Amino acid sequence: MIEIDEFLAQSGIDRRLLEDWIEREWLLPERKAKRVILSDIDAARARFIRDLKSDLGVNDEGVDIVLHLVDQLHGLRGAVTHIRTEIRIARPPRLRGRKPR
């Protein structure tokens, strides 16, 4: 958990942008008892968004698309890892350790 002032310093954005990005659902912090709880992952994502907008000149619609694609890739990576684990478990013991052809 990161305090908001530390988060803003780490991410290089101001409070107004943070609120805007949360409203746009570019950042999805946890909420507990009306408090926003930010993480290191949120700070990294905020830096990524900041870089997209300032360094690369990506507009808001482009950021929406890029973040959607990044989230899909992350989900796909998790699914592939899960499938690989299931394949290893399902292999007979004599074939474990061998790579499939």
Side-chain angles (χ1 to χ4, degrees):
M1 180 173 82
I2 303 174
E3 296 297 324
I4 288 184
D5 290 334
E6 183 182 343
F7 177 88
L8 297 174
Q10 281 186 21
S11 62
I13 65 171
D14 61 30
R15 190 176 297 267
R16 183 189 56 73
L17 272 179
L18 173 61
E19 291 169 2
D20 182 47
W21 293 358
I22 290 172
E23 185 177 314
R24 290 176 182 269
E25 296 182 347
W26 291 353
L27 297 174
L28 299 170
E30 287 184 50
R31 295 180 185 271
K32 289 186 182 175
K34 296 186 180 183
R35 286 188 60 208
V36 173
I37 299 171
L38 298 154
S39 68
D40 290 327
I41 293 171
D42 294 316
R45 189 171 172 106
R47 286 189 300 273
F48 179 58
I49 296 166
R50 184 199 64 211
D51 291 348
L52 287 172
K53 292 184 72 59
S54 63
D55 294 350
L56 300 174
V58 177
N59 64 20
D60 290 347
E61 293 79 16
V63 170
D64 282 332
I65 292 167
V66 169
L67 292 177
H68 178 73
L69 292 172
V70 167
D71 292 342
Q72 282 187 327
L73 284 172
H74 181 72
L76 180 60
R77 182 179 177 195
V80 168
T81 299
H82 176 75
I83 290 168
R84 291 177 76 193
T85 300
E86 291 298 316
I87 288 170
R88 280 193 206 109
I89 291 170
R91 282 175 138 179
R94 63 184 174 77
L95 295 179
R96 288 189 187 150
R98 290 174 145 183
K99 292 187 177 187
R101 294 181 187 175

